[in-house]
């Protein structure tokens, strides 16, 4: 079974949902988390991306996210993102549920996007919850209203997922005919529970497919950009 099989399934499906992870954005130049060159190979996530790091090691926490936010400025969505946006416009997709925090799906043109892990391009105060401009966070400022610590609207280890994004993803995945999982190791709970909640066909597009233990109907090994372009040829 190949890319043409997936295209055929997409054309037959009344409701297709995409679930993406960091591997969707590596072709844009953004590292993933668990590959050889991923963030968590060099840095322990507990020291920079957890509730404890925000509370007890704020300067390092802030430095880590400032670095990630700055690096986004040099990167743009790639052909694979554009194909997903085009599929939504053509009525081939119901929702992109993403663990990515870069907003590249929206930049490429997708409108139906659920940000399961939040994003790093909007900021709020950890103490009072009010939204503040990104520039304040980048300038090491404190909250204008209460002098609290500023932070990106990203989900940290130790926090629950945004309820609306989770409920929407769950509902669409449960009723989908087809779920296409792209560029995620599926190691992180609770998002890794989502594919199994679908009664529809399950497809996995990933560079490394050896470690996956879920029950996929079709596995397409390769980069997201290449595989999506191949599938698109048949649509
Ligand atoms: P991972 O780094 O765990 O997994 C990325 C997967 O994408 C790996 O299996 C890679 O082999 C694959 N991959 C890399 N480049 C690819 C490409 N060009 N095309 C296709 N596949 C490719 O990243 P996630 O599964 O997204 O959480 O990680 C889940 C969460 O863990 C992240 O959202 C982040 C992290 O801690 C938060 O920030 C809250």
């Amino acid at each position: 079974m190949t890319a043409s099989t997936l295209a055929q399934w997409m054309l037959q499906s009344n409701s297709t949902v995409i679930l993406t992870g960091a591997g969707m954005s590596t072709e844009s130049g953004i590292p993933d988390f668990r590959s050889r060159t991923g963030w968590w190979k060099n840095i322990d996530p507990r020291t920079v991306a957890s509730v404890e790091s925000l509370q007890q090691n704020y300067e390092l926490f802030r430095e880590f996210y400032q670095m990630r936010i700055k690096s986004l400025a040099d990167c743009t969505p790639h052909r694979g993102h554009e194909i997903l946006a085009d599929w939504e416009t053509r009525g081939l997709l119901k929702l992109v549920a993403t663990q990515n925090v870069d907003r590249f799906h929206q930049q490429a043109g997708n409108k139906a996007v659920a940000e399961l892990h939040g994003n790093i391009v909007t900021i709020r105060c950890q103490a009072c919850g009010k939204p503040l401009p990104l520039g304040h966070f980048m300038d090491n400022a404190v909250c204008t209203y209460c002098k609290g610590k500023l932070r990106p609207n990203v989900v940290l280890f130790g926090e629950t997922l945004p309820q609306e994004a989770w409920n929407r993803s769950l509902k669409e995945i449960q009723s989908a005919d087809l779920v296409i999982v792209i560029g995620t190791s599926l190691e992180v709970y609770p998002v890794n529970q989502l594919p199994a909640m679908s009664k529809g066909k399950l497809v996995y597009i990933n560079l490394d497919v050896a470690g996956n233990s879920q029950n996929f109907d079709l596995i397409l090994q390769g980069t997201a950009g290449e595989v999506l372009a191949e599938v698109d040829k048949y649509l």
Side-chain angles (χ1 to χ4, degrees):
M1 288 196 292
T2 57
S4 67
T5 309
L6 174 53
Q8 221 177 339
W9 289 354
M10 284 178 66
L11 293 171
Q12 287 161 359
S13 165
N14 285 319
S15 175
T16 298
V17 175
I18 304 278
L19 174 64
T20 62
M24 183 72 219
S25 290
T26 54
E27 287 160 273
S28 290
I30 300 173
D32 64 10
F33 295 94
R34 294 173 185 79
S35 294
R36 208 167 31 83
T37 51
W39 287 111
W40 303 153
K41 289 291 169 196
N42 298 308
I43 313 170
D44 180 343
R46 281 169 302 187
T47 62
V48 289
S50 65
V51 176
E52 295 78 54
S53 65
L54 167 62
Q55 286 165 346
Q56 292 158 24
N57 206 353
Y58 181 63
E59 280 181 19
L60 189 63
F61 165 90
R62 185 171 61 190
E63 210 176 298
F64 175 69
Y65 281 104
Q66 285 174 338
M67 174 182 68
R68 285 185 56 196
I69 291 164
K70 268 191 206 135
S71 71
L72 283 187
D74 304 325
C75 303
T76 48
H78 62 78
R79 179 81 190 113
H81 291 102
E82 285 165 10
I83 288 170
L84 294 183
D86 180 52
W87 288 356
E88 182 184 314
T89 309
R90 291 165 63 187
L92 292 165
L93 294 188
K94 197 80 183 285
L95 178 71
V96 176
T98 187
Q99 297 165 90
N100 297 344
V101 294
D102 52 33
R103 289 250 157 121
F104 279 11
H105 288 302
Q106 292 94 323
Q107 267 191 51
N110 281 100
K111 302 229 167 1
V113 180
E115 290 179 330
L116 288 160
H117 288 168
N119 68 77
I120 59 170
V121 306
T122 62
I123 302 295
R124 72 172 187 269
C125 171
Q126 172 69 4
C128 72
K130 291 211 173 81
L132 282 122
L134 180 65
H136 284 36
F137 179 72
M138 299 307 276
D139 291 343
N140 297 342
V142 291
C143 175
T144 330
Y145 306 99
C146 75
K147 304 219 178 328
K149 289 173 181 162
L150 302 189
R151 58 163 292 176
N153 279 313
V154 64
V155 176
L156 301 174
F157 286 100
E159 291 180 327
T160 52
L161 270 51
Q163 216 177 359
E164 199 192 322
W166 173 258
N167 288 344
R168 187 177 179 197
S169 303
L170 185 61
K171 177 174 159 268
E172 295 298 356
I173 283 175
Q174 280 175 332
S175 58
D177 295 329
L178 177 61
V179 176
I180 308 172
V181 179
I182 308 173
T184 171
S185 61
L186 290 172
E187 281 194 27
V188 174
Y189 179 90
V191 172
N192 61 0
Q193 306 297 301
L194 284 171
M197 309 230 181
S198 171
K199 292 183 225 52
K201 287 197 172 71
L202 276 185
V203 178
Y204 192 42
I205 299 174
N206 214 70
L207 208 48
D208 174 12
V209 297
N212 122 76
S213 57
Q214 303 211 18
N215 225 349
F216 289 103
D217 297 292
L218 173 62
I219 293 178
L220 298 173
Q221 184 170 17
T223 72
E226 283 166 7
V227 175
L228 291 172
E230 190 58 28
V231 175
D232 194 50
K233 283 188 201 159
Y234 298 95
L235 291 168

